[in-house]
Amino acid sequence: MKIIVAADYDEMSKLAANHVAQWVRQNPKAVLGLPTGGTPLGMYRNLIEMHRGSNLSFKDVTTFNLDEYVGLEPHHSNSYRYYMYENFFKHIDVQEHNVNIPDGTAEDLEQECIHYEDKIRNAGGIDLMVLGLGNNGHIGFNEPSDRFPATTHVTKLDESTVQANARFFERIDQVPRYSITIGIGSIMRCRRILLLASGKAKARAISAALEGPVTPSLPASILQFHPDVTVILDAEAASKLTNAV
Ligand code: F6R
């Protein structure tokens, strides 16, 4: 595991964008796994700038989003599909048919999960998965639990996740309670992982995930067993690490 500590959010975002851009330049047909939330917004902004200014193309890239709320229509301004188009996809040359986001309005959600997992397999697996981190140590929406979920599944969001996500909604009762998420097994099968975290609120989860015991009660801790993980943190998120580089 390689841990890089940036001075602040802007530097973390630039380093993260460079990491993704380098991979895409070397592998124009790369399959990327992508998160939403506050953390990757700066990375997406930097990638858009590189697309505009320095020829970074996503024309042959395939993307799989980590998760989507259950029950929000795709055009809903809080859906992750909407977020991805607003903050990234509509500004780059990725092709619509190469974009994959779970359908949280599918009539048969179990079938949608199986279908999503099949699509990842048929694409040859994910080359580079970018992850954010929940304050409670979740990755995707794999919440603290007594087991590591293997594949894409429907998950009930923790109360703390609902509280954290409420900042994007007008009222807390509008935050969906369920989502579809790629499973921990699916994340562990990705060839490379880039984990990003910024801010003091992530410091405890980062130190537990990277330096504590591997346990499903802190899902990100499983990344200690992955052979190719890069972690890019800002100084605040790294502040509780004892062995930060
Ligand atoms: C979102 C996702 C979540 C977030 C995490 C951190 O697609 O998979 O695991 O990465 O909740 O969210 P932010 O970045 O808003 O702190």
Short mmCIF file of all heavy atoms in Angstrom, two decimals, residues 141-199:
data_model
loop_
_atom_site.label_atom_id
_atom_site.label_comp_id
_atom_site.label_asym_id
_atom_site.label_seq_id
_atom_site.Cartn_x
_atom_site.Cartn_y
_atom_site.Cartn_z
N PHE A 141 -21.21 1.78 -0.62
CA PHE A 141 -22.09 1.85 0.55
C PHE A 141 -22.08 0.53 1.30
O PHE A 141 -23.10 0.06 1.79
CB PHE A 141 -23.49 2.34 0.18
CG PHE A 141 -23.53 3.83 0.00
CD1 PHE A 141 -24.03 4.40 -1.15
CD2 PHE A 141 -23.04 4.69 0.99
CE1 PHE A 141 -24.04 5.78 -1.33
CE2 PHE A 141 -23.04 6.06 0.82
CZ PHE A 141 -23.54 6.60 -0.34
N ASN A 142 -20.91 -0.07 1.38
CA ASN A 142 -20.71 -1.24 2.24
C ASN A 142 -20.51 -0.70 3.65
O ASN A 142 -19.43 -0.23 4.01
CB ASN A 142 -19.49 -2.04 1.78
CG ASN A 142 -19.70 -2.63 0.40
OD1 ASN A 142 -20.34 -3.67 0.26
ND2 ASN A 142 -19.20 -1.95 -0.63
N GLU A 143 -21.59 -0.75 4.42
CA GLU A 143 -21.59 -0.16 5.75
C GLU A 143 -20.98 -1.13 6.77
O GLU A 143 -20.91 -2.34 6.50
CB GLU A 143 -23.04 0.16 6.16
CG GLU A 143 -23.75 1.16 5.25
CD GLU A 143 -23.30 2.61 5.45
OE1 GLU A 143 -22.14 2.85 5.88
OE2 GLU A 143 -24.11 3.51 5.17
N PRO A 144 -20.54 -0.62 7.93
CA PRO A 144 -20.03 -1.50 8.97
C PRO A 144 -21.03 -2.62 9.26
O PRO A 144 -22.23 -2.38 9.35
CB PRO A 144 -19.89 -0.57 10.18
CG PRO A 144 -19.66 0.77 9.57
CD PRO A 144 -20.49 0.79 8.32
N SER A 145 -20.51 -3.84 9.42
CA SER A 145 -21.38 -5.00 9.51
C SER A 145 -20.58 -6.15 10.13
O SER A 145 -19.44 -5.95 10.57
CB SER A 145 -21.86 -5.32 8.09
OG SER A 145 -21.92 -6.67 7.80
N ASP A 146 -21.17 -7.35 10.17
CA ASP A 146 -20.42 -8.48 10.70
C ASP A 146 -19.89 -9.38 9.60
O ASP A 146 -19.42 -10.48 9.84
CB ASP A 146 -21.27 -9.28 11.71
CG ASP A 146 -22.58 -9.70 11.10
OD1 ASP A 146 -22.78 -9.46 9.89
OD2 ASP A 146 -23.41 -10.27 11.83
N ARG A 147 -19.99 -8.92 8.35
CA ARG A 147 -19.43 -9.70 7.23
C ARG A 147 -19.09 -8.75 6.09
O ARG A 147 -19.58 -7.62 6.05
CB ARG A 147 -20.41 -10.77 6.77
CG ARG A 147 -21.62 -10.17 6.19
CD ARG A 147 -22.74 -11.11 5.85
NE ARG A 147 -23.74 -10.29 5.18
CZ ARG A 147 -23.91 -10.21 3.88
NH1 ARG A 147 -23.20 -10.96 3.06
NH2 ARG A 147 -24.79 -9.41 3.34
N PHE A 148 -18.26 -9.24 5.17
CA PHE A 148 -17.92 -8.45 3.98
C PHE A 148 -18.81 -8.91 2.83
O PHE A 148 -18.67 -10.04 2.38
CB PHE A 148 -16.46 -8.68 3.59
CG PHE A 148 -15.45 -8.09 4.55
CD1 PHE A 148 -14.64 -8.92 5.31
CD2 PHE A 148 -15.29 -6.71 4.67
CE1 PHE A 148 -13.69 -8.39 6.18
CE2 PHE A 148 -14.34 -6.17 5.53
CZ PHE A 148 -13.54 -7.00 6.29
N PRO A 149 -19.73 -8.08 2.34
CA PRO A 149 -20.61 -8.51 1.24
C PRO A 149 -19.80 -8.76 -0.03
O PRO A 149 -18.92 -7.98 -0.38
CB PRO A 149 -21.56 -7.33 1.04
CG PRO A 149 -21.36 -6.44 2.21
CD PRO A 149 -20.00 -6.70 2.75
N ALA A 150 -20.11 -9.86 -0.73
CA ALA A 150 -19.27 -10.28 -1.85
C ALA A 150 -19.51 -9.45 -3.11
O ALA A 150 -18.57 -8.98 -3.74
CB ALA A 150 -19.51 -11.75 -2.15
N THR A 151 -20.78 -9.28 -3.48
CA THR A 151 -21.06 -8.71 -4.81
C THR A 151 -22.02 -7.52 -4.69
O THR A 151 -22.40 -7.14 -3.59
CB THR A 151 -21.68 -9.79 -5.73
OG1 THR A 151 -22.83 -10.31 -5.07
CG2 THR A 151 -20.70 -10.91 -6.02
N THR A 152 -22.41 -6.99 -5.84
CA THR A 152 -23.34 -5.87 -5.88
C THR A 152 -24.64 -6.26 -5.18
O THR A 152 -25.18 -7.34 -5.43
CB THR A 152 -23.61 -5.47 -7.35
OG1 THR A 152 -22.35 -5.13 -7.96
CG2 THR A 152 -24.54 -4.28 -7.45
N HIS A 153 -25.12 -5.37 -4.31
CA HIS A 153 -26.30 -5.72 -3.51
C HIS A 153 -27.04 -4.45 -3.08
O HIS A 153 -26.50 -3.33 -3.19
CB HIS A 153 -25.88 -6.53 -2.27
CG HIS A 153 -24.94 -5.79 -1.38
ND1 HIS A 153 -23.61 -5.59 -1.69
CD2 HIS A 153 -25.14 -5.15 -0.20
CE1 HIS A 153 -23.03 -4.88 -0.74
NE2 HIS A 153 -23.94 -4.60 0.18
N VAL A 154 -28.24 -4.65 -2.57
CA VAL A 154 -29.01 -3.53 -1.99
C VAL A 154 -28.61 -3.42 -0.52
O VAL A 154 -28.51 -4.43 0.18
CB VAL A 154 -30.52 -3.79 -2.10
CG1 VAL A 154 -31.31 -2.67 -1.40
CG2 VAL A 154 -30.93 -3.88 -3.56
N THR A 155 -28.34 -2.20 -0.08
CA THR A 155 -27.88 -2.03 1.29
C THR A 155 -28.67 -0.92 1.99
O THR A 155 -29.10 0.04 1.34
CB THR A 155 -26.36 -1.70 1.30
OG1 THR A 155 -25.94 -1.50 2.63
CG2 THR A 155 -26.06 -0.43 0.53
N LYS A 156 -28.88 -1.10 3.28
CA LYS A 156 -29.54 -0.05 4.07
C LYS A 156 -28.46 0.90 4.56
O LYS A 156 -27.45 0.45 5.11
CB LYS A 156 -30.27 -0.69 5.26
CG LYS A 156 -31.09 0.31 6.06
CD LYS A 156 -31.96 -0.44 7.05
CE LYS A 156 -32.99 0.42 7.76
NZ LYS A 156 -32.65 1.79 8.07
N LEU A 157 -28.63 2.18 4.34
CA LEU A 157 -27.60 3.13 4.76
C LEU A 157 -27.63 3.30 6.27
O LEU A 157 -28.70 3.37 6.88
CB LEU A 157 -27.83 4.48 4.08
CG LEU A 157 -27.80 4.46 2.55
CD1 LEU A 157 -28.09 5.85 1.99
CD2 LEU A 157 -26.47 3.96 2.04
N ASP A 158 -26.46 3.40 6.85
CA ASP A 158 -26.34 3.68 8.28
C ASP A 158 -26.96 5.04 8.60
O ASP A 158 -26.90 5.94 7.76
CB ASP A 158 -24.85 3.80 8.64
CG ASP A 158 -24.33 2.58 9.30
OD1 ASP A 158 -24.96 1.51 9.16
OD2 ASP A 158 -23.28 2.69 9.97
N GLU A 159 -27.43 5.19 9.82
CA GLU A 159 -27.97 6.50 10.21
C GLU A 159 -26.90 7.59 10.03
O GLU A 159 -27.18 8.69 9.57
CB GLU A 159 -28.48 6.43 11.66
CG GLU A 159 -29.40 7.56 12.08
CD GLU A 159 -30.48 7.94 11.05
OE1 GLU A 159 -31.11 7.02 10.46
OE2 GLU A 159 -30.68 9.16 10.84
N SER A 160 -25.63 7.25 10.35
CA SER A 160 -24.56 8.27 10.23
C SER A 160 -24.32 8.65 8.76
O SER A 160 -23.98 9.79 8.46
CB SER A 160 -23.26 7.76 10.85
OG SER A 160 -22.74 6.68 10.11
N THR A 161 -24.54 7.70 7.84
CA THR A 161 -24.39 8.00 6.41
C THR A 161 -25.53 8.89 5.95
O THR A 161 -25.33 9.85 5.20
CB THR A 161 -24.35 6.69 5.60
OG1 THR A 161 -23.27 5.89 6.08
CG2 THR A 161 -24.18 6.94 4.12
N VAL A 162 -26.74 8.59 6.42
CA VAL A 162 -27.90 9.41 6.07
C VAL A 162 -27.65 10.85 6.55
O VAL A 162 -27.86 11.81 5.81
CB VAL A 162 -29.19 8.82 6.69
CG1 VAL A 162 -30.37 9.78 6.50
CG2 VAL A 162 -29.50 7.46 6.07
N GLN A 163 -27.15 10.98 7.77
CA GLN A 163 -26.85 12.31 8.32
C GLN A 163 -25.80 13.02 7.46
O GLN A 163 -25.94 14.20 7.13
CB GLN A 163 -26.28 12.19 9.75
CG GLN A 163 -27.17 11.52 10.75
CD GLN A 163 -28.15 12.49 11.40
OE1 GLN A 163 -28.02 13.69 11.20
NE2 GLN A 163 -29.12 11.97 12.13
N ALA A 164 -24.73 12.28 7.11
CA ALA A 164 -23.64 12.89 6.33
C ALA A 164 -24.14 13.32 4.95
O ALA A 164 -23.75 14.37 4.44
CB ALA A 164 -22.47 11.91 6.20
N ASN A 165 -25.02 12.51 4.33
CA ASN A 165 -25.48 12.80 2.97
C ASN A 165 -26.58 13.86 2.95
O ASN A 165 -26.90 14.41 1.89
CB ASN A 165 -25.97 11.52 2.29
CG ASN A 165 -24.83 10.56 2.03
OD1 ASN A 165 -23.68 10.85 2.36
ND2 ASN A 165 -25.12 9.42 1.45
N ALA A 166 -27.13 14.15 4.13
CA ALA A 166 -28.25 15.11 4.20
C ALA A 166 -27.82 16.49 3.71
O ALA A 166 -28.66 17.29 3.28
CB ALA A 166 -28.76 15.20 5.64
N ARG A 167 -26.51 16.79 3.72
CA ARG A 167 -26.07 18.11 3.28
C ARG A 167 -26.38 18.38 1.81
O ARG A 167 -26.39 19.52 1.37
CB ARG A 167 -24.57 18.30 3.57
CG ARG A 167 -23.61 17.46 2.74
CD ARG A 167 -22.20 17.55 3.34
NE ARG A 167 -21.14 17.09 2.48
CZ ARG A 167 -20.79 15.82 2.32
NH1 ARG A 167 -21.46 14.86 2.96
NH2 ARG A 167 -19.78 15.50 1.53
N PHE A 168 -26.62 17.32 1.05
CA PHE A 168 -26.94 17.50 -0.37
C PHE A 168 -28.46 17.62 -0.61
O PHE A 168 -28.89 17.81 -1.75
CB PHE A 168 -26.39 16.33 -1.18
CG PHE A 168 -24.88 16.22 -1.11
CD1 PHE A 168 -24.28 15.13 -0.48
CD2 PHE A 168 -24.06 17.20 -1.65
CE1 PHE A 168 -22.88 15.03 -0.40
CE2 PHE A 168 -22.67 17.10 -1.59
CZ PHE A 168 -22.08 16.01 -0.96
N PHE A 169 -29.25 17.44 0.44
CA PHE A 169 -30.72 17.47 0.30
C PHE A 169 -31.28 18.66 1.08
O PHE A 169 -30.63 19.19 1.97
CB PHE A 169 -31.33 16.17 0.86
CG PHE A 169 -31.00 14.95 0.03
CD1 PHE A 169 -29.74 14.35 0.12
CD2 PHE A 169 -31.94 14.39 -0.83
CE1 PHE A 169 -29.43 13.22 -0.63
CE2 PHE A 169 -31.64 13.27 -1.58
CZ PHE A 169 -30.38 12.68 -1.48
N GLU A 170 -32.53 19.03 0.77
CA GLU A 170 -33.16 20.12 1.53
C GLU A 170 -33.53 19.68 2.93
O GLU A 170 -33.37 20.41 3.89
CB GLU A 170 -34.43 20.59 0.81
CG GLU A 170 -34.15 21.63 -0.24
CD GLU A 170 -35.38 21.96 -1.05
OE1 GLU A 170 -36.50 21.87 -0.49
OE2 GLU A 170 -35.21 22.27 -2.24
N ARG A 171 -34.07 18.46 3.03
CA ARG A 171 -34.48 17.96 4.35
C ARG A 171 -33.97 16.53 4.52
O ARG A 171 -33.89 15.77 3.56
CB ARG A 171 -36.01 17.93 4.46
CG ARG A 171 -36.69 19.29 4.38
CD ARG A 171 -38.14 19.18 4.87
NE ARG A 171 -38.79 17.96 4.41
CZ ARG A 171 -39.48 17.87 3.26
NH1 ARG A 171 -39.62 18.91 2.48
NH2 ARG A 171 -40.03 16.72 2.91
N ILE A 172 -33.69 16.18 5.77
CA ILE A 172 -33.12 14.85 6.02
C ILE A 172 -34.08 13.72 5.63
O ILE A 172 -33.65 12.66 5.20
CB ILE A 172 -32.63 14.72 7.48
CG1 ILE A 172 -31.76 13.48 7.62
CG2 ILE A 172 -33.78 14.71 8.48
CD1 ILE A 172 -30.82 13.47 8.76
N ASP A 173 -35.41 13.99 5.73
CA ASP A 173 -36.34 12.91 5.38
C ASP A 173 -36.39 12.66 3.87
O ASP A 173 -37.04 11.73 3.40
CB ASP A 173 -37.74 13.19 5.95
CG ASP A 173 -38.32 14.48 5.39
OD1 ASP A 173 -37.53 15.35 4.96
OD2 ASP A 173 -39.56 14.61 5.38
N GLN A 174 -35.67 13.50 3.09
CA GLN A 174 -35.61 13.25 1.64
C GLN A 174 -34.44 12.33 1.27
O GLN A 174 -34.35 11.87 0.14
CB GLN A 174 -35.43 14.59 0.89
CG GLN A 174 -36.63 15.51 1.03
CD GLN A 174 -36.36 16.88 0.46
OE1 GLN A 174 -35.20 17.33 0.40
NE2 GLN A 174 -37.40 17.57 0.05
N VAL A 175 -33.54 12.07 2.21
CA VAL A 175 -32.36 11.24 1.90
C VAL A 175 -32.82 9.78 1.81
O VAL A 175 -33.40 9.26 2.76
CB VAL A 175 -31.28 11.35 3.01
CG1 VAL A 175 -30.02 10.58 2.61
CG2 VAL A 175 -30.96 12.80 3.32
N PRO A 176 -32.56 9.13 0.67
CA PRO A 176 -32.96 7.73 0.57
C PRO A 176 -32.29 6.88 1.65
O PRO A 176 -31.17 7.17 2.07
CB PRO A 176 -32.48 7.32 -0.82
CG PRO A 176 -32.40 8.59 -1.58
CD PRO A 176 -31.97 9.62 -0.58
N ARG A 177 -32.97 5.85 2.09
CA ARG A 177 -32.43 4.98 3.15
C ARG A 177 -31.72 3.76 2.58
O ARG A 177 -31.05 3.04 3.30
CB ARG A 177 -33.56 4.52 4.06
CG ARG A 177 -33.90 5.36 5.30
CD ARG A 177 -33.66 6.82 5.20
NE ARG A 177 -33.83 7.50 6.49
CZ ARG A 177 -33.83 8.80 6.64
NH1 ARG A 177 -33.65 9.59 5.59
NH2 ARG A 177 -33.98 9.35 7.82
N TYR A 178 -31.92 3.50 1.29
CA TYR A 178 -31.31 2.31 0.68
C TYR A 178 -30.52 2.70 -0.56
O TYR A 178 -30.85 3.70 -1.21
CB TYR A 178 -32.41 1.31 0.28
CG TYR A 178 -33.06 0.66 1.48
CD1 TYR A 178 -34.15 1.25 2.09
CD2 TYR A 178 -32.56 -0.54 2.01
CE1 TYR A 178 -34.75 0.67 3.21
CE2 TYR A 178 -33.16 -1.12 3.12
CZ TYR A 178 -34.24 -0.51 3.71
OH TYR A 178 -34.81 -1.08 4.82
N SER A 179 -29.51 1.92 -0.87
CA SER A 179 -28.82 2.12 -2.14
C SER A 179 -28.40 0.77 -2.71
O SER A 179 -28.42 -0.24 -2.01
CB SER A 179 -27.60 3.02 -1.96
OG SER A 179 -26.46 2.26 -1.66
N ILE A 180 -28.07 0.80 -4.00
CA ILE A 180 -27.39 -0.36 -4.61
C ILE A 180 -25.91 -0.03 -4.54
O ILE A 180 -25.51 1.09 -4.85
CB ILE A 180 -27.79 -0.52 -6.09
CG1 ILE A 180 -29.28 -0.89 -6.19
CG2 ILE A 180 -26.93 -1.57 -6.78
CD1 ILE A 180 -29.76 -1.10 -7.62
N THR A 181 -25.11 -0.97 -4.12
CA THR A 181 -23.66 -0.73 -4.09
C THR A 181 -22.89 -1.94 -4.60
O THR A 181 -23.31 -3.08 -4.38
CB THR A 181 -23.18 -0.39 -2.66
OG1 THR A 181 -21.77 -0.11 -2.71
CG2 THR A 181 -23.41 -1.51 -1.67
N ILE A 182 -21.80 -1.67 -5.26
CA ILE A 182 -20.83 -2.72 -5.57
C ILE A 182 -20.38 -3.32 -4.23
O ILE A 182 -20.22 -2.60 -3.25
CB ILE A 182 -19.64 -2.10 -6.34
CG1 ILE A 182 -20.05 -1.80 -7.79
CG2 ILE A 182 -18.42 -2.99 -6.31
CD1 ILE A 182 -18.93 -1.24 -8.66
N GLY A 183 -20.18 -4.63 -4.19
CA GLY A 183 -19.80 -5.27 -2.93
C GLY A 183 -18.31 -5.19 -2.62
O GLY A 183 -17.51 -4.72 -3.45
N ILE A 184 -17.95 -5.62 -1.44
CA ILE A 184 -16.54 -5.62 -1.05
C ILE A 184 -15.74 -6.60 -1.92
O ILE A 184 -14.62 -6.31 -2.34
CB ILE A 184 -16.41 -6.00 0.45
CG1 ILE A 184 -16.96 -4.87 1.33
CG2 ILE A 184 -14.97 -6.33 0.82
CD1 ILE A 184 -16.11 -3.62 1.38
N GLY A 185 -16.34 -7.77 -2.20
CA GLY A 185 -15.65 -8.74 -3.07
C GLY A 185 -15.40 -8.12 -4.44
O GLY A 185 -14.31 -8.28 -5.01
N SER A 186 -16.39 -7.40 -4.95
CA SER A 186 -16.24 -6.76 -6.28
C SER A 186 -15.13 -5.71 -6.24
O SER A 186 -14.38 -5.55 -7.20
CB SER A 186 -17.54 -6.08 -6.73
OG SER A 186 -18.68 -6.67 -6.18
N ILE A 187 -15.04 -4.99 -5.12
CA ILE A 187 -13.97 -3.98 -4.98
C ILE A 187 -12.61 -4.68 -4.92
O ILE A 187 -11.65 -4.25 -5.57
CB ILE A 187 -14.21 -3.10 -3.72
CG1 ILE A 187 -15.44 -2.21 -3.93
CG2 ILE A 187 -12.97 -2.25 -3.40
CD1 ILE A 187 -15.88 -1.42 -2.71
N MET A 188 -12.54 -5.77 -4.19
CA MET A 188 -11.25 -6.47 -4.04
C MET A 188 -10.79 -7.10 -5.35
O MET A 188 -9.61 -7.38 -5.53
CB MET A 188 -11.35 -7.52 -2.93
CG MET A 188 -11.51 -6.92 -1.54
SD MET A 188 -10.10 -5.87 -1.05
CE MET A 188 -8.92 -7.13 -0.56
N ARG A 189 -11.74 -7.36 -6.28
CA ARG A 189 -11.34 -7.93 -7.58
C ARG A 189 -10.82 -6.87 -8.55
O ARG A 189 -10.28 -7.20 -9.60
CB ARG A 189 -12.52 -8.67 -8.22
CG ARG A 189 -12.70 -10.09 -7.69
CD ARG A 189 -13.74 -10.88 -8.49
NE ARG A 189 -15.08 -10.36 -8.28
CZ ARG A 189 -15.83 -10.63 -7.21
NH1 ARG A 189 -15.37 -11.42 -6.28
NH2 ARG A 189 -17.03 -10.11 -7.09
N CYS A 190 -10.97 -5.57 -8.23
CA CYS A 190 -10.44 -4.52 -9.11
C CYS A 190 -8.92 -4.61 -9.11
O CYS A 190 -8.31 -4.91 -8.08
CB CYS A 190 -10.87 -3.14 -8.61
SG CYS A 190 -12.66 -2.94 -8.55
N ARG A 191 -8.31 -4.34 -10.26
CA ARG A 191 -6.85 -4.55 -10.35
C ARG A 191 -6.06 -3.55 -9.53
O ARG A 191 -5.05 -3.89 -8.94
CB ARG A 191 -6.41 -4.50 -11.82
CG ARG A 191 -6.98 -5.69 -12.56
CD ARG A 191 -6.59 -5.77 -14.02
NE ARG A 191 -7.42 -6.82 -14.58
CZ ARG A 191 -8.60 -6.61 -15.17
NH1 ARG A 191 -9.07 -5.38 -15.31
NH2 ARG A 191 -9.32 -7.61 -15.60
N ARG A 192 -6.52 -2.30 -9.51
CA ARG A 192 -5.84 -1.25 -8.74
C ARG A 192 -6.88 -0.45 -8.01
O ARG A 192 -7.98 -0.26 -8.54
CB ARG A 192 -5.16 -0.25 -9.67
CG ARG A 192 -3.97 -0.75 -10.37
CD ARG A 192 -3.51 0.38 -11.27
NE ARG A 192 -2.10 0.24 -11.47
CZ ARG A 192 -1.27 1.23 -11.77
NH1 ARG A 192 -1.72 2.47 -11.91
NH2 ARG A 192 0.00 1.02 -11.93
N ILE A 193 -6.47 0.07 -6.87
CA ILE A 193 -7.41 0.89 -6.09
C ILE A 193 -6.75 2.22 -5.74
O ILE A 193 -5.56 2.26 -5.39
CB ILE A 193 -7.81 0.14 -4.81
CG1 ILE A 193 -8.56 -1.13 -5.25
CG2 ILE A 193 -8.64 1.03 -3.87
CD1 ILE A 193 -9.49 -1.74 -4.35
N LEU A 194 -7.52 3.28 -5.85
CA LEU A 194 -7.08 4.61 -5.41
C LEU A 194 -8.09 5.08 -4.37
O LEU A 194 -9.26 5.30 -4.69
CB LEU A 194 -7.06 5.57 -6.61
CG LEU A 194 -6.77 7.03 -6.29
CD1 LEU A 194 -5.38 7.20 -5.65
CD2 LEU A 194 -6.88 7.90 -7.55
N LEU A 195 -7.64 5.18 -3.12
CA LEU A 195 -8.52 5.62 -2.03
C LEU A 195 -8.21 7.08 -1.70
O LEU A 195 -7.04 7.43 -1.49
CB LEU A 195 -8.29 4.74 -0.79
CG LEU A 195 -9.02 5.16 0.49
CD1 LEU A 195 -10.53 4.95 0.36
CD2 LEU A 195 -8.49 4.36 1.69
N LEU A 196 -9.24 7.91 -1.65
CA LEU A 196 -9.07 9.34 -1.37
C LEU A 196 -9.79 9.71 -0.08
O LEU A 196 -10.90 9.22 0.17
CB LEU A 196 -9.67 10.19 -2.50
CG LEU A 196 -9.20 9.88 -3.91
CD1 LEU A 196 -9.95 10.77 -4.90
CD2 LEU A 196 -7.69 10.08 -4.03
N ALA A 197 -9.18 10.57 0.71
CA ALA A 197 -9.89 11.09 1.89
C ALA A 197 -9.36 12.47 2.23
O ALA A 197 -8.15 12.73 2.12
CB ALA A 197 -9.74 10.15 3.08
N SER A 198 -10.26 13.31 2.65
CA SER A 198 -9.91 14.70 2.95
C SER A 198 -10.67 15.16 4.18
O SER A 198 -11.85 14.83 4.36
CB SER A 198 -10.29 15.54 1.73
OG SER A 198 -10.55 16.86 2.09
N GLY A 199 -9.99 15.91 5.03
CA GLY A 199 -10.67 16.55 6.17
C GLY A 199 -10.57 15.77 7.46
O GLY A 199 -10.42 14.55 7.46
#
